[in-house]
Amino acid sequence: MDLYEHQARQLFEEHGIPVPRAEVTDSPKEARAIARRLGGRAVVKAQVRTGGRGKAGGVKLAADPAAAELTARQILGMDIKGHRVDTVMLAQPVDIDTEYYVSYVLDRTAGGFLAIASAEGGTDIEEVAASRPEAVARVPVDPAEGVTSAKAGEIAEAAGLPPGTVDTLVRLWRVLVAEDALLVEVNPLVRTRQGRVLALDGKVTLDDNARFRQERWGADTPAPGDPLEAAAAAKGLNYVRLDGEVGVIGNGAGLVMSTLDVVAGCGARPANFLDIGGGASARVMADGLSVVLADPAVKSVLVNVFGGITACDAVAEGIVQALESVRLTKPLVVRLDGNNAARGRAVLDRRAHPGVEQATTMDGAARRAAQLATDA
Ligand code: GDP
Ligand code: MN
């Protein structure tokens, strides 16, 4: 999850990284009052979870409180790359001497982190990186060692940043570790004409797998754009909508992924990824089925379960119970294998639900689901 700039700014402040004074509002009138509190002049900044706000007209300097109100009125409601601006941050303007770029980002291939830094930061950093990669230093960071003063000195030197940035580089690493971030980025980190080093913009991407211990940002979590994904997320389901016609439900991410492949191999397209996990209770099965059936593009549904600790008969009971609360509007093909598969199949046979068919192999089940989807 990406944080807003003002949230990143708050984290920086908490970790002792110098930032300009700033306040957030959704009201132009309040923007005027904030500018007054900041000393009159203010930079008015759109709060959206995307970069390039400056170039899109979402970052503007206001010379006095009246101008701040006007500018806030302009920026609020603006659309920046598909993100509507609901709030603005007003920050005390800074006299910039030089703009730097610094970030730490998870490098999955290397199994570590990467420090990326440049003495040519600012809004053109992408072009700098593309046209003159040598102007952007990349220094691997061992996650176990982290960024010590010595390491920060090495990063600063590699990028041509002044020694005054070393403390900020160390503290920025602490932000990453303490907040469970996959990315922390400051662009620009500036040296002011007065010689101070300040973080003028911040981007922080939190690791969603650590959300349980980063609850303070929970309320601000953006709902997924897709309504079915939002409904699934609200039920705690691992669901990703795709653009096909065969709904897929399975237990275990690996099994579901291969099920998608097999469905595609049968000439159909999977409508979604849905992993109901190891437990596969009736409740979860009902939730999963209702989400998948709610997709108008779905023509048939394939349930592919490999019984492990939760045996197939328990899963079959789950399916039967789920079908008591969910109206089956599309044909359902079930393939049960693994622990207690025969008993599970017997449970489904006994119920003989008219919309439910069984198949004994994954290929057979996928072929049948694909065929039902094509015939529908
Ligand atoms: P972004 O475009 O979304 O990355 O937004 P930034 O917060 O990075 O702002 C874009 C640019 O506006 C910065 O690179 C600066 O050049 C400029 N800017 C932002 N705040 C100030 C400020 O306080 N003073 C001055 N002079 N320029 C600023
Ligand atoms: Mn920026």
Side-chain angles (χ1 to χ4, degrees):
M1 170 177 69
D2 292 343
L3 296 183
Y4 287 105
E5 177 195 17
H6 69 268
Q7 295 171 327
R9 180 197 165 283
Q10 188 185 330
L11 291 181
F12 294 170
E13 192 171 41
E14 286 169 13
H15 287 271
I17 296 171
V19 290
R21 275 178 60 200
E23 290 182 49
V24 179
T25 182
D26 59 4
S27 131
K29 284 233 157 12
E30 180 64 17
R32 178 193 284 249
I34 293 171
R36 209 176 293 127
R37 284 200 284 278
L38 294 175
R41 297 166 68 233
V43 185
V44 185
K45 310 183 78 175
Q47 296 301 288
V48 279
R49 290 181 165 104
T50 182
R53 296 165 304 160
K55 289 189 173 171
V59 177
K60 290 225 165 80
L61 181 72
D64 55 53
E69 177 175 340
L70 210 69
T71 307
R73 206 178 289 284
Q74 256 168 30
I75 294 179
L76 284 164
M78 197 182 247
D79 184 280
I80 299 182
K81 300 182 190 167
H83 299 251
R84 198 186 61 227
V85 182
D86 292 326
T87 54
V88 289
M89 182 173 90
L90 287 94
Q92 201 162 49
V94 165
D95 279 337
I96 300 177
D97 178 68
T98 320
E99 297 187 303
Y100 309 114
Y101 174 94
V102 300
S103 68
Y104 297 121
V105 60
L106 177 64
D107 182 352
R108 291 183 197 273
T109 352
F113 282 82
L114 196 58
I116 305 177
S118 174
E120 299 178 45
T123 53
D124 290 331
I125 186 66
E126 274 91 5
E127 282 128 74
V128 172
S131 60
R132 282 181 308 106
E134 70 281 2
V136 181
R138 296 163 161 270
V139 180
V141 176
D142 181 331
E145 284 164 20
V147 177
T148 57
S149 300
K151 187 75 187 182
E154 186 192 319
I155 296 165
E157 195 176 321
L161 309 185
T165 61
V166 166
D167 183 59
T168 291
L169 285 168
V170 171
R171 290 176 188 276
L172 194 61
W173 177 259
R174 289 187 198 143
V175 172
L176 178 125
V177 173
E179 309 299 331
D180 291 314
L182 300 173
L183 165 81
V184 290
E185 181 190 77
V186 184
N187 185 36
L189 176 71
V190 303
R191 193 177 60 204
T192 68
R193 288 195 208 289
Q194 295 75 33
R196 291 182 68 206
V197 171
L198 279 174
L200 235 58
D201 183 16
K203 177 172 179 189
V204 172
T205 304
L206 300 181
D207 184 348
D208 287 336
N209 293 313
R211 193 172 284 186
F212 67 96
R213 57 183 184 198
Q214 298 294 345
E215 278 165 1
R216 64 191 280 200
W217 309 116
D220 262 329
T221 306
D226 183 278
L228 282 177
E229 290 191 354
K235 291 173 170 164
L237 293 172
N238 238 327
Y239 171 91
V240 180
R241 194 171 184 184
L242 304 171
D243 53 8
E245 54 286 329
V246 177
V248 174
I249 302 177
N251 63 336
L255 180 64
V256 178
M257 300 262 258
S258 24
T259 309
L260 302 185
D261 285 346
V262 174
V263 167
C266 295
R269 292 174 312 164
N272 65 275
F273 171 100
L274 173 53
D275 169 19
I276 54 171
S281 67
R283 169 85 261 136
V284 177
M285 186 59 81
D287 285 347
L289 271 175
S290 60
V291 168
V292 171
L293 291 168
D295 182 346
V298 165
K299 300 284 185 275
S300 68
V301 181
L302 168 55
V303 172
N304 189 14
V305 166
F306 194 89
I309 292 172
T310 305
C312 287
D313 51 333
V315 175
E317 292 291 354
I319 294 172
V320 168
Q321 280 179 44
L323 290 176
E324 282 165 14
S325 60
V326 178
R327 205 165 65 84
L328 192 60
T329 48
K330 295 153 192 182
L332 182 66
V333 180
V334 181
R335 176 256 182 171
L336 297 175
D337 204 350
N339 189 8
N340 280 356
R343 275 201 224 167
R345 291 181 199 138
V347 168
L348 289 181
D349 279 340
R350 217 162 32 239
R351 296 304 171 108
H353 193 291
V356 179
E357 288 184 29
Q358 294 199 66
T360 45
T361 66
M362 179 150 146
D363 283 329
R367 253 196 318 274
R368 182 63 185 140
Q371 186 189 20
L372 287 165
T374 322
D375 294 350

